Amino acid sequence: MPKIRKPAEPASRRAFLKSGATAAAAGAATLAMPNVVRAQEAAVFKFQSTWPAKDIFHEYAQDFVNRVNEMGGGRLKIELLAAGAVAKALEVHDAVLSGTLDGGHGVTAYWYGKHKAFSLFGTPPAWGWRANQMLGWIKYGGGQALYDELVQQVLGLDLVGFLSGPMPTQPLGWFKQQVTDAEQLKGLKYRTVGLSADLFKELGAAVTIMGGGEIVPAMDRGLLDAAEFNNPTSDTLLGFPDVSKDYMLQGYHQSAECFEIIFNKTKFDALAPELQAVIRYAAEAASADMSWKAMDRYSKDLEALKAAGVRVHQTPESVLRAQLAAWDKVIEAQSAEPFFAKVVESQKAWTKRVVGAQFEIEVDQKLAYDYFFKA
């Protein structure tokens, strides 16, 4: 006998409540959506470099900003401005502290008027290390902790900073004639920054500190006799060959340096942890890329300077030795301040171990270079 089909059962109370809860949840999600969108609106930081727009240093700042903006996933955006847009080059630090700017790209030597130890993270003594070894100290030798201590404890600044971008040994600078003896530096109106200013004062120079964009106009007006900035590319872009034809390469005044990327700490701390990480890792990535870009651009532009009639000279050993002797005096004088001395001892311990190991481990590259290219 065929089975009789039962009529459909009415929906159970449980099913009704379940469907009602689902609809309610969907409605709540719809209502809540504007709040989610608002929570994910991009944080926009106004960020100024201490460099003129035409300088390769501003390009390095842009490289960092591009990485942050790309990895920020629409939740963090940095707007880059050139020196002078909001604050003068030497005033960026104060503008970030006041909140007029959210961040900046520069060098710690620019702030050594606040505390001489600032310059140890930008223009340290010539311990025999290279710039990337100095950044190694920052990362693995205790340098970042000391920087943080200086900024946030010793000076109590509402600031967070990341050290990035190794700068090769800087030229002695641009002069009216070739420098063959340290005596020629005495009485010279010379531009430099940071502890290098103390060094050249020991050598008898009359030192002036100014931002990069001001140097060439000052030389053109006779306010400076000579000046250093940083590298063949920057020096070319800033116009040094227009006011001088004698370019002295090498020096111990700034044999290792790096950039400083800073943010207002209150604003940085308000970011989600993953966005703070984006900034940290963008600084590291830009640092590596900058080291490779510098190899390419500086070497090309040095050749271009020679082709354009600039007389390129090597700083003689007698001048280099005079600089080392001057470093002795600067270090001794400034180490009377306890925190300065603390940083110096940390740097010396790192360099003695790391550079000492380098000399043991790495082969002499000059021997091979001369064999293949100077035969």
Side-chain angles (χ1 to χ4, degrees), residues 276-287:
Q276 295 178 9
V278 164
I279 287 174
R280 283 196 301 271
Y281 296 135
E284 291 183 358
S287 182

Side-chain angles (χ1 to χ4, degrees), residues 121-140:
F121 301 91
T123 55
W127 305 120
W129 58 0
R130 297 186 183 277
N132 205 39
Q133 292 165 330
M134 186 184 80
L135 281 173
W137 168 72
I138 294 292
K139 285 292 187 181
Y140 293 101

Side-chain angles (χ1 to χ4, degrees), residues 7 18 106 176 204 249 254 278 280 367:
K18 182 177 180 182
K176 294 179 179 178
L249 294 184
Q254 288 176 277
V278 164
R280 283 196 301 271
L367 178 65

Side-chain angles (χ1 to χ4, degrees), residues 265-317:
K265 189 174 186 298
T266 297
K267 295 183 179 181
F268 179 84
D269 288 346
L271 292 173
E274 61 270 24
L275 296 182
Q276 295 178 9
V278 164
I279 287 174
R280 283 196 301 271
Y281 296 135
E284 291 183 358
S287 182
D289 183 67
M290 180 215 136
S291 69
W292 306 323
K293 180 183 284 190
M295 293 177 196
D296 179 46
R297 297 278 287 278
Y298 296 177
S299 59
K300 287 178 179 175
D301 288 325
L302 179 60
E303 291 303 312
L305 284 171
K306 294 175 182 177
V310 171
R311 296 179 290 272
V312 177
H313 315 284
Q314 298 292 314
T315 299
E317 184 176 323

Side-chain angles (χ1 to χ4, degrees), residues 203-219:
L203 293 169
V207 175
T208 298
I209 296 173
M210 61 178 65
E214 303 171 61
I215 305 170
V216 169
M219 290 183 72

Side-chain angles (χ1 to χ4, degrees), residues 165-351:
M167 298 185 205
T169 298
Q170 296 178 31
L172 191 70
W174 296 80
F175 295 80
K176 294 179 179 178
Q177 60 182 16
Q178 180 181 0
V179 176
T180 58
D181 190 277
E183 289 294 314
Q184 292 172 257
L185 302 176
K186 290 184 177 178
L188 205 68
K189 293 181 290 184
Y190 182 84
R191 181 272 178 191
T192 189
V193 295
L195 287 170
S196 176
D198 295 337
L199 182 85
F200 274 94
K201 287 175 184 176
E202 287 290 342
L203 293 169
V207 175
T208 298
I209 296 173
M210 61 178 65
E214 303 171 61
I215 305 170
V216 169
M219 290 183 72
D220 192 40
R221 297 196 302 269
L223 300 177
L224 294 172
D225 299 319
E228 61 80 34
F229 184 65
N230 193 276
N231 63 80
T233 301
S234 290
D235 291 358
T236 299
L237 293 170
L238 293 178
F240 280 87
D242 296 333
V243 293
S244 172
K245 294 300 180 186
D246 284 287
Y247 193 26
M248 302 296 303
L249 294 184
Q250 302 186 4
Y252 282 132
H253 60 295
Q254 288 176 277
S255 62
E257 190 174 10
C258 63
F259 293 110
E260 178 195 40
I261 297 169
I262 58 174
F263 290 94
N264 180 285
K265 189 174 186 298
T266 297
K267 295 183 179 181
F268 179 84
D269 288 346
L271 292 173
E274 61 270 24
L275 296 182
Q276 295 178 9
V278 164
I279 287 174
R280 283 196 301 271
Y281 296 135
E284 291 183 358
S287 182
D289 183 67
M290 180 215 136
S291 69
W292 306 323
K293 180 183 284 190
M295 293 177 196
D296 179 46
R297 297 278 287 278
Y298 296 177
S299 59
K300 287 178 179 175
D301 288 325
L302 179 60
E303 291 303 312
L305 284 171
K306 294 175 182 177
V310 171
R311 296 179 290 272
V312 177
H313 315 284
Q314 298 292 314
T315 299
E317 184 176 323
S318 62
V319 175
L320 296 176
R321 289 189 175 277
Q323 286 186 315
L324 291 175
W327 267 124
D328 270 341
K329 295 178 181 178
V330 171
I331 294 164
E332 181 180 5
Q334 299 304 329
S335 291
E337 197 282 317
F339 185 79
F340 189 100
K342 180 180 178 179
V343 178
V344 161
E345 289 309 309
S346 176
Q347 291 184 341
K348 288 171 67 178
W350 170 267
T351 307

